[in-house]
């Protein structure tokens, strides 16, 4: 990494962030594999599990601005360590959840809070603060890409556990792995980057309240958040419901697992590439391309004859486009408002992502239980891709605080 001129503390932070993201997002990425076995064991409709995951995403998003504010004020490492502890507790409780109420408490409330402290908004903001501005997008892309590799590793591992020891024991094993987040959090201690050539500022720093007022009145920030809603709806619907969709069409659980593993693997390429390209080209323009290509990929998947090969091709393409939005979106927020309150402001944008995630996860289950298929939600995903393209016409990266 010497060619990227990253400091040694930043390199340690990148390694720690990557492993934490790999664990946190890898376990979460595999939740879709639990839908069918848990629903069958307890005679639930798909909507019971879907609602719990939808609640998880909504709570994750609602808590994110507050978790981010705490990380901005007290530091990322303590927030991430607490989140790792909650994550392990939530998985252990999920392992004994035999009712919808318990599932909403464990998979919904506790894991939603845990994810708000152990995922992109807190970790990438920590990396963004420590990186020099010209390398910020790349650093975020590296952390995102390395973290995405965990999604590739965890999916086949989770399927193997499900097939060999059952869903409950698989969750216990996942809880043990997640517990490693607690000590890893103490690698997140790189200081905020200080430009050695910058003049000392005589302006007083903006308060939380002042920066929130500026963000509220900045229309491009609102359009950026609306675009992230599209991302949340699409990735959670596909991540949770595509394995069940494939089972409905006669494929084995293995096919859905390989699909999600391919998404995780090619997400590594996509997020790194997005971070690298974001340092060279307009981030809003790149986001327009990403959302447009998602729509085209979904249309092609639905129109082509369904086979193992079209499923895997869809997984590769969606992997390249999956979380490539994250380093670009967080990079735009950093450019708009600076890095002092980046965790909180990224958390606000992420909340809209999670509103989309709630409806993508929940409505997918409702649509399936009412009609026996996912046709309406697929059409909605396509329409949302068009919205994602349009809203980024009004997004720019101009700094509006000059703080």
């Amino acid at each position: 990494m010497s060619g990227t001129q990253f400091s040694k503390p930043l390199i340690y932070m990148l390694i720690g962030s990557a492993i934490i993201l790999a664990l946190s997002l890898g376990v979460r990425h595999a939740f879709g594999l639990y839908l069918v076995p848990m629903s069958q064991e307890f005679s639930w409709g798909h909507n019971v599990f879907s609602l719990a995951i939808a609640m998880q995403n909504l709570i994750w998003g609602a808590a994110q601005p507050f978790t981010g504010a705490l990380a901005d004020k007290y530091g990322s490492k303590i927030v991430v360590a607490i989140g790792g502890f909650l994550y392990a507790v939530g998985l252990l409780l999920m392992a004994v959840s035999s009712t919808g109420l318990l599932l909403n408490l464990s998979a919904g409330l506790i894991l939603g809070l845990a994810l708000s402290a152990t995922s992109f908004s807190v970790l990438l903001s920590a990396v963004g603060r420590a990186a020099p501005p010209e390398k910020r997008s790349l650093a975020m892309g590296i952390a995102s890409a390395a973290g995405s590799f965990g999604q590739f590793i965890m999916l086949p591992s989770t399927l193997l556990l499900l097939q060999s020891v059952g869903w409950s024991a698989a969750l216990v094993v996942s809880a043990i792995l997640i517990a490693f987040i607690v000590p890893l959090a103490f690698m997140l201690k790189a200081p905020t980057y200080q430009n050695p050539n910058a003049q000392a500022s005589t302006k007083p720093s903006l308060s939380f309240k002042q920066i929130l007022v500026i963000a509220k009145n900045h229309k491009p920030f609102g359009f950026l958040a609306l675009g992230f809603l599209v991302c949340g709806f699409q990735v959670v619907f596909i991540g949770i419901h595509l394995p069940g969709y494939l089972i409905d069409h006669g494929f084995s659980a293995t096919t859905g697992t390989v699909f999600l593993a391919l998404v995780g693997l090619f997400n590594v390429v996509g997020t790194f590439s997005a971070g690298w390209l974001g340092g060279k080209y307009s981030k809003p323009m790149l986001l327009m391309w990403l959302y447009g290509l998602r729509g085209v990929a979904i249309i092609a998947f639905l129109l082509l004859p369904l086979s193992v090969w079209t499923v895997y091709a869809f997984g590769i393409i969606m992997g390249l486009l999956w979380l490539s939005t994250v380093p670009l979106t967080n990079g735009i927020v950093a450019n708009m408002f600076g890095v002092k309150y980046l965790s909180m402001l990224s958390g606000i944008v992420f909340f809209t992502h999670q509103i989309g995630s709630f409806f993508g996860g929940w409505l997918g289950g409702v649509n399936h239980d009412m009609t026996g298929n996912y046709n309406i939600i697929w059409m909605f995903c396509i329409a949302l891709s068009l919205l994602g393209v349009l809203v980024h016409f009004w997004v720019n990266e101009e700094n509006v605080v000059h703080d």
Side-chain angles (χ1 to χ4, degrees):
M1 285 191 187
S2 58
T4 60
Q5 300 177 355
F6 289 157
S7 66
K8 188 172 289 186
L10 176 56
I11 292 172
Y12 290 145
M13 178 176 277
L14 282 172
I15 294 170
S17 297
I19 299 172
I20 292 167
L21 285 170
L23 288 168
S24 177
L25 298 178
V27 169
R28 180 224 172 220
H29 194 59
F31 282 156
L33 301 180
Y34 292 92
L35 185 152
V36 172
M38 291 187 74
S39 298
Q40 288 178 344
E41 178 160 338
F42 299 114
S43 300
W44 295 335
H46 282 203
N47 66 302
V48 175
F49 188 90
S50 298
L51 180 60
I53 298 300
M55 287 300 298
Q56 175 192 106
N57 282 286
L58 190 61
I59 290 165
W60 178 2
Q64 193 68 77
F66 302 99
T67 308
L70 289 171
D72 287 333
K73 187 171 183 178
Y74 298 108
S76 299
K77 61 183 179 182
I78 186 66
V79 171
V80 173
I82 292 170
F85 173 76
L86 281 177
Y87 205 146
V89 170
L91 288 169
L92 291 173
L93 184 57
M94 186 178 171
V96 296
S97 294
S98 57
T99 67
L101 181 62
L102 271 177
L103 191 65
N104 275 284
L105 175 62
S106 58
L109 176 62
I110 297 175
L111 291 184
L113 291 172
L115 283 162
S116 76
T118 59
S119 56
F120 285 120
S121 293
V122 171
L123 289 157
L124 292 193
S125 296
V127 169
R129 276 191 292 269
E134 68 276 9
K135 300 295 183 182
R136 186 177 294 144
S137 182
L138 176 61
M140 288 179 173
I142 290 171
S144 299
S148 299
F149 190 69
Q151 300 178 33
F152 172 68
I153 296 297
M154 285 303 300
L155 278 156
S157 303
T158 301
L159 179 63
L160 183 62
L161 285 170
L162 285 167
Q163 292 174 339
S164 57
V165 298
W167 63 267
S168 184
L171 286 167
V172 173
V173 174
S174 296
I176 294 169
L177 290 173
I178 284 295
F180 284 101
I181 288 177
V182 176
L184 286 167
F186 292 89
M187 295 180 71
L188 309 176
K189 55 186 180 180
T192 299
Y193 174 79
Q194 301 291 335
N195 186 346
N197 300 317
Q199 300 268 335
S201 176
T202 58
K203 292 176 60 179
S205 295
L206 295 172
S207 67
F208 274 108
K209 184 176 180 180
Q210 288 171 320
I211 200 76
L212 283 172
V213 170
I214 293 171
K216 177 184 175 183
N217 295 325
H218 188 51
K219 290 183 179 179
F221 182 70
F223 285 122
L224 182 68
L226 183 58
F228 224 23
L229 182 146
V230 173
C231 180
F233 188 101
Q234 291 175 332
V235 299
V236 170
F237 166 66
I238 293 172
I240 295 299
H241 292 287
L242 195 87
Y245 172 83
L246 294 174
I247 289 172
D248 287 348
H249 286 79
F251 293 90
S252 68
T254 302
T255 306
T257 304
V258 173
F259 167 84
L260 292 174
L262 287 170
V263 168
L265 180 61
F266 283 86
N267 192 24
V268 176
V269 179
T271 49
F272 177 83
S273 299
W276 178 74
L277 290 169
K280 296 178 175 293
Y281 303 103
S282 163
K283 295 179 188 67
M285 185 64 68
L286 290 170
L287 286 168
M288 289 170 62
W289 275 101
L290 283 171
Y291 286 114
L293 289 171
R294 276 193 193 176
V296 171
I298 292 170
I299 292 170
F301 176 66
L302 296 176
L303 290 180
L304 290 170
L306 193 60
S307 70
V308 169
W309 301 113
T310 58
V311 170
Y312 294 167
F314 186 52
I316 291 169
I317 294 168
M318 286 305 298
L320 293 171
L321 307 172
W322 195 250
L323 295 179
S324 304
T325 57
V326 174
L328 297 175
T329 301
N330 284 336
I332 291 172
V333 175
N335 289 345
M336 284 179 173
F337 303 104
V339 298
K340 183 175 181 180
Y341 298 121
L342 181 56
S343 296
M344 178 183 68
L345 293 171
S346 293
I348 292 171
V349 175
F350 187 73
F351 179 42
T352 63
H353 181 284
Q354 295 308 93
I355 292 173
S357 298
F358 172 84
F359 286 108
W362 176 51
L363 292 178
V366 171
N367 183 198
H368 184 274
D369 286 350
M370 291 180 65
T371 65
N373 60 58
Y374 293 103
N375 294 345
I376 294 173
I377 305 301
W378 280 122
M379 294 304 105
F380 203 62
C381 282
I382 295 168
L384 283 175
S385 282
L386 180 59
L387 176 65
V389 173
L390 292 175
V391 295
H392 286 94
F393 272 116
W394 292 282
V395 175
N396 60 61
E397 302 182 62
E398 179 184 357
N399 184 277
V400 294
V401 298
H402 308 290
D403 188 18

